[in-house]
């Protein structure tokens, strides 16, 4: 069990922000990463569609023999974590609950902002998760329709994206939230620009970092950590264009990626 890989997946390269945090916190672990780039983006998909995609990818990763799975996509976690956990025996987590928990721990005035895709925000998964820890906390949600696209295009700094962020965050800043959950895999890459907009008064919570902490805690408590000193193996798989994955992937992961395999899953989106 211990030598088996951790399976991590997302709609594309965004979940590599989560894989990068796992590598930082668990540098001895093998990782298999699947990016469903052929069906990107997930943020505008329906709940039923997302459940279908998630089942298919979890089956695929289970066949690869992973010991643990991280649904490293907010939209997919919001739509399908619970039903997938019930259906499959392999232990897994999503990114919503760890982010919500960290936000409740961080806030001083119990006002929490959440930004994400239409799928994540309309599910209210973050609101529910925050309320399991603090039923009285105020949660201010905001759909950021095109923010992930800016990151996909590499536009993470500059006046144009800053103005877009300013517009999206205006209601959350007006509500005096002191904590902001970055509820999309792409947003940690916008942290510097978001901080320019919010100033130091709002604490940013990266679901990626918090999810990696939770993976570490669970693997340690189950005695599932990999032993030995051989270098870890990282395998990157994409359902779509390998070149795009390679180009963007290293930026999201924070490490160079030199090889990507292409695997088509049956169901087409
Ligand atoms: N990975 C998605 C998420 O975290 C963002 C990109 C998409 O829409 O697929 O919600």
């Amino acid at each position: 069990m211990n030598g088996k890989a951790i399976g991590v997946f997302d709609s594309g390269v965004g979940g590599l922000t989560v894989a990068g945090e796992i590598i930082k916190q668990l540098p001895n672990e093998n990782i298999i990463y699947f990016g469903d780039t052929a069906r990107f983006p997930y943020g505008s998909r329906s709940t039923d569609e997302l459940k279908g995609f998630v089942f298919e990818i979890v089956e695929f990763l289970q066949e690869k023999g992973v010991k643990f799975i991280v649904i490293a996509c907010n939209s997919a976690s919001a739509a399908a974590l619970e039903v997938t956990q019930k259906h499959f025996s392999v232990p897994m987590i999503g990114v919503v609950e760890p982010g919500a928990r960290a936000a409740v721990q961080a806030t001083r005035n119990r006002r929490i902002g959440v930004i994400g895709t239409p799928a994540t925000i309309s599910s209210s998964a973050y609101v529910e998760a925050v309320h399991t820890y603090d039923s009285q906390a105020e949660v201010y949600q905001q759909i950021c329709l095109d923010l992930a696209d800016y990151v996909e295009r590499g536009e993470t700094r500059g006046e144009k994206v800053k103005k877009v962020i300013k517009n999206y965050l205006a209601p959350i800043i007006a509500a005096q939230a002191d904590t902001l959950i970055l509820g999309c895999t792409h947003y940690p890459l916008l942290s510097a620009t978001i901080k320019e907009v919010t100033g130091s008064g709002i604490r940013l919570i990266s679901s990626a970092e918090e999810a990696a902490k939770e993976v570490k805690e669970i693997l340690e408590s189950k005695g599932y950590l990999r032993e030995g000193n051989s270098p870890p193996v990282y395998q990157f798989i994409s359902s779509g264009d390998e070149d795009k994955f390679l180009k963007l992937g290293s930026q999201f992961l924070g490490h160079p990626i030199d090889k990507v395999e292409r695997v088509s899953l049956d169901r087409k989106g």
Side-chain angles (χ1 to χ4, degrees):
M1 171 64 77
N2 304 33
K4 291 179 174 178
I6 300 170
V8 182
F9 73 92
D10 176 45
S11 55
V13 291
L16 288 166
T17 54
V18 181
E21 284 296 334
I22 295 174
I23 291 172
K24 234 189 247 171
Q25 296 184 37
L26 292 166
N28 201 37
E29 291 299 319
N30 297 325
I31 294 176
I32 299 176
Y33 182 90
F34 181 85
D36 198 3
T37 49
R39 299 185 291 206
F40 179 90
Y42 277 9
S44 48
R45 304 269 185 182
S46 72
T47 303
D48 281 347
E49 253 180 323
L50 291 174
K51 280 180 189 160
F53 295 170
V54 169
F55 268 47
E56 207 172 35
I57 298 167
V58 168
E59 265 162 28
F60 171 77
L61 289 172
Q62 231 180 5
E63 278 163 25
K64 294 243 162 220
V66 297
K67 63 182 172 188
F68 193 83
I69 290 179
V70 183
I71 306 184
C73 172
N74 291 264
S75 308
S77 300
L81 175 65
E82 222 170 289
V83 63
T84 315
Q85 276 175 325
K86 281 191 189 131
H87 190 85
F88 293 92
S89 57
V90 59
M92 70 183 78
I93 62 162
V95 284
V96 170
E97 199 271 341
R101 187 176 48 168
V104 170
Q105 283 163 359
T107 183
R108 293 286 160 264
N109 67 4
R110 299 162 93 192
R111 291 166 186 250
I112 297 169
V114 185
I115 51 175
T117 65
T120 299
I121 298 303
S122 59
S123 75
S124 289
Y126 272 107
V127 182
E128 283 168 27
V130 164
H131 285 160
T132 60
Y133 294 105
D134 180 357
S135 61
Q136 300 302 309
E138 300 282 353
V139 185
Y140 305 95
Q141 298 202 94
Q142 179 67 48
I143 291 175
C144 299
L145 209 51
D146 57 353
L147 215 45
D149 298 332
Y150 275 85
V151 180
E152 286 279 314
R153 291 196 299 268
E155 282 184 67
T156 55
R157 302 304 305 260
E159 285 311 309
K160 196 172 159 204
V161 68
K162 192 170 163 182
K163 198 171 155 202
V164 172
I165 291 170
K166 215 172 188 169
N167 281 336
Y168 283 136
L169 292 187
I172 291 174
I173 292 170
Q176 297 180 332
D178 70 351
T179 304
L180 176 67
I181 300 173
L182 306 180
C184 172
T185 49
H186 286 55
Y187 301 165
L189 277 86
L190 293 165
S191 291
T193 312
I194 293 174
K195 275 187 193 148
E196 280 171 18
V197 172
T198 60
S200 55
I202 297 187
R203 168 114 186 251
L204 303 189
I205 303 292
S206 152
S207 295
E209 199 181 317
E210 299 306 326
K213 272 188 211 161
E214 192 161 330
V215 175
K216 188 171 180 212
E217 279 164 22
I218 296 172
L219 294 189
E220 274 172 357
S221 72
K222 284 184 181 285
Y224 279 6
L225 289 176
R226 179 173 167 255
E227 284 151 12
N229 296 322
S230 58
V233 177
Y234 304 136
Q235 190 182 356
F236 300 98
I237 305 168
S238 170
S239 59
D241 188 52
E242 298 100 315
D243 288 342
K244 190 174 174 210
F245 189 109
L246 272 178
K247 218 164 109 195
L248 273 176
S250 310
Q251 195 191 341
F252 277 81
L253 186 69
H255 290 262
I257 298 176
D258 44 34
K259 193 170 152 244
V260 180
E261 283 164 54
R262 187 166 182 161
V263 172
S264 297
L265 299 182
D266 287 334
R267 194 194 307 244
K268 283 289 153 227

